[in-house]
Amino acid sequence: MSRGRVYLVGAGPGDPDLVTVKGRRLLETADAVLYDHLAPDALLELAPNAERVYVGKKKSEHAYSQEEICAMLIERARRGLTVVRLKGGDPFIFGRGGEELAYLTERGIPVEVVPGITAALGCAAAAGLSLTHRDHAQALTLVTAEGKAGEPALDWPALARPGQMLAIYMGVAAAGRIARRLLDGGLSAETPVAVVENGTLPEQRVAAGTLGRLEQLVAASGTAGPAIIFVGEAARAAHGAAEPQPLALAV
Ligand SMILES: C[S@@+](CC[C@H](N)C(=O)[O-])C[C@H]1O[C@@H](n2cnc3c(N)ncnc32)[C@H](O)[C@@H]1O
């Protein structure tokens, strides 16, 4: 029996044109595609003849458990199929790609990882926000507001040091807590923040304000889609998208 293979492919931040050439080629030749809710529909259309399985991952709406997803990948690979596991952004950035890679390789399944543009980079580019502008930031930290068991144990005073940029994933529901932690850590209430929702997509919205009013900014903008919170001097430059639907909020 021929051996199948699993490709963990990053779909990019939302705009389907931002997937890699390799990811696109793999989608066009896959036998099966297992995808998350952040994977753009237009990318699935590249695989019209493949078996396409939505495996969920939206918060509180997991269509399958992590174990079930891995079992589905293994079963198909053992049947000799070429399987694309399509994940939003980059598979290894807050995407559990590492867990899937370990699970599959431990069971002897050949796996290849195809990187994608992670949401922080896509959102920053689409909002005109230079994450390491020489005048403002000498470091960039990607942070998740949600750990395996709730709030992650982060070194907030270190994250609050000046001269860096934070890109916070999954932070909208925790905006008040994030702001308090950073203010307690020593960041000024006047530090610029920008919330980029549905980055790189036509529905992209950008809300800009200050750290001291982050919670109000998020509440007033009614952020409902996936969003990245940027914190740091460089966030001051954030503006609407190429297809602008900016939310002109200065809370
Ligand atoms: C489970 S994480 C997956 C991250 C993904 N692996 C990546 O590299 O971008 C989901 C979070 O990524 C962020 N995200 C993903 N796509 C986004 C987009 N188009 N605009 C803004 N934030 C996005 C949001 O913070 C969302 O809650």
Side-chain angles (χ1 to χ4, degrees), residues 13-14 38 88-91 93-95 117-120 123 168-171 196-201 226-228:
L38 286 177
D90 180 89
I93 303 292
F94 305 131
I117 297 176
T118 191
C123 290
I168 304 174
Y169 291 65
M170 294 171 273
V196 181
E197 178 187 7
N198 287 314
T200 77
L201 291 164
I228 297 280

Side-chain angles (χ1 to χ4, degrees), residues 10-15 36-38 57 59 87-97 116-123 142-144 146 168-172 195-201 204-205 225-230:
D15 176 349
D36 291 345
H37 82 288
L38 286 177
K57 270 294 151 73
K59 199 182 171 199
K87 302 171 82 72
D90 180 89
F92 280 174
I93 303 292
F94 305 131
R96 303 197 193 174
I117 297 176
T118 191
L121 305 191
C123 290
L142 306 186
V143 180
T144 178
E146 280 180 28
I168 304 174
Y169 291 65
M170 294 171 273
V172 165
V195 182
V196 181
E197 178 187 7
N198 287 314
T200 77
L201 291 164
Q204 171 170 308
R205 296 196 308 163
I228 297 280
I229 300 174
F230 293 102

